[in-house]
Amino acid sequence: MRLIILAPPGGGKGTQASRLSDQYNIPQVETGKILRQAVQEGSQLGKDAKSYMSSGNLVPDEIMIEIIRNRFAEADCQAGFILDGFPRTLQQARALDKLLDEQEVELDAVIYLNVPVAVIQERLSRRRVCSDCGATYHLDTKPPGQTGICDSCQGELIQRSDDREEAIEQRLKQYSSKTEPLLEFYQDKGVLLEIDGAQSISRVESAIDTALTESQ
Ligand code: AP5
């Protein structure tokens, strides 16, 4: 399976991609996580990306395309992948097409989670993430067993620095100007599967499974 999951910030990409990764035994290639790790490690990539991320802006296309090119060269991506957070601009989408052509493979589907802005603001302000493993929780819809502690690794749960109000607003602006045009791009290719992403996590899961089965 070669999949993309596309949604506004906080639309549930990570939540669904992690499940699909287990279900199809394919790696979840999560660009936001790759960048956050680089920032934490203090690498050159992290230094370059940090200010864009904390202000809610997109990291430049050249950097992102290079990250994906390197990640695709790793062995675990040969049998498939789910891209979570890439592509986010038309330039990234065209670069991805080129990479797939070079490998003589095609995308199976682009899963688009359609979620209204009001729902996104609520989800992001109530999201908590593990400072060690990056697992995602929501204070109401997906709470941890023990307050403030990660179920998987016992790490401390924190709020992401870009889940502040001003950064959320900027992420939404970037999404509508730069990422939304991808919907038409993939619609024209006949691979876009639109899902109502405002439903409960389990209903979104079932809707994705049904849409993927029907598309094959
Ligand atoms: P990234 O980490 O990709 O951030 P994002 O797109 O803003 O997406 P999020 O991780 O915030 O949300 P999500 O859609 O994964 O939702 P989640 O499942 O967590 O990128 C961060 C930054 O890195 C970018 O702003 C940019 O600067 C940079 N970057 C990354 N990739 C880039 C690229 N390709 N080009 C340029 N720059 C790039 O869910 C959110 C919350 O809701 C959680 O609490 C979850 O538990 C809850 N939830 C999920 N689904 C449901 C549901 N159905 N019902 C109720 N609650 C739900």
Side-chain angles (χ1 to χ4, degrees):
M1 272 288 200
R2 291 181 178 81
L3 302 171
I4 292 176
I5 189 149
L6 194 67
K13 296 183 291 298
T15 302
Q16 297 297 331
S18 124
R19 178 189 67 93
L20 289 163
S21 160
D22 292 342
Q23 186 167 326
Y24 290 105
N25 198 20
I26 47 175
Q28 173 187 2
V29 177
E30 188 184 351
T31 46
K33 186 172 183 184
I34 294 171
L35 292 169
R36 279 187 290 280
Q37 267 167 0
V39 170
Q40 210 165 14
E41 287 160 10
S43 67
Q44 190 55 49
L45 168 63
K47 285 179 188 147
D48 293 341
K50 192 174 178 181
S51 63
Y52 295 103
M53 295 175 76
S54 57
S55 57
N57 286 303
L58 294 184
V59 173
D61 286 334
E62 324 63 270
I63 297 181
M64 297 314 302
I65 292 164
E66 195 53 26
I67 288 176
I68 292 296
R69 180 174 285 283
N70 292 336
R71 186 65 186 85
F72 272 19
E74 290 177 37
D76 64 340
C77 282
Q78 302 315 307
F81 49 76
I82 176 156
L83 288 176
D84 165 2
F86 186 95
R88 263 176 149 99
T89 64
L90 281 171
Q91 194 183 334
Q92 292 180 16
R94 292 192 187 108
L96 175 63
D97 272 359
K98 203 163 155 243
L99 275 173
L100 296 173
D101 281 351
E102 282 167 16
Q103 297 186 354
E104 299 181 354
V105 295
E106 288 185 355
L107 282 175
D108 290 286
V110 176
I111 300 162
Y112 163 49
L113 306 178
N114 188 352
V115 186
V117 170
V119 175
I120 287 165
Q121 280 159 338
E122 187 277 336
R123 281 191 192 167
L124 290 181
S125 60
R126 306 285 288 163
R127 172 167 64 184
R128 296 295 180 270
V129 293
C130 175
S131 55
D132 288 339
C133 73
T136 299
Y137 298 86
H138 183 282
L139 295 179
D140 311 310
T141 59
K142 199 184 166 199
Q146 213 184 329
T147 306
I149 307 284
C150 177
D151 292 344
S152 319
C153 75
Q154 316 304 310
E156 184 196 0
L157 299 188
I158 55 163
Q159 190 162 27
R160 258 169 55 174
S161 64
D162 59 351
D163 281 348
R164 290 168 296 109
E165 208 176 307
E166 323 81 76
I168 292 175
E169 205 175 302
Q170 184 59 13
R171 284 157 72 196
L172 287 168
K173 279 191 195 149
Q174 295 275 290
Y175 174 77
S176 80
S177 64
K178 298 191 176 151
T179 309
E180 264 182 354
L182 297 186
L183 300 178
E184 196 180 333
F185 181 83
Y186 286 118
Q187 180 86 60
D188 289 348
K189 288 178 181 287
V191 288
L192 193 76
L193 303 177
E194 180 167 348
I195 306 291
D196 174 3
Q199 311 172 84
S200 69
I201 294 177
S202 60
R203 281 182 185 268
V204 175
E205 284 177 9
S206 318
I208 292 175
D209 289 345
T210 306
L212 280 176
T213 308
E214 285 173 358
S215 71
Q216 279 160 17

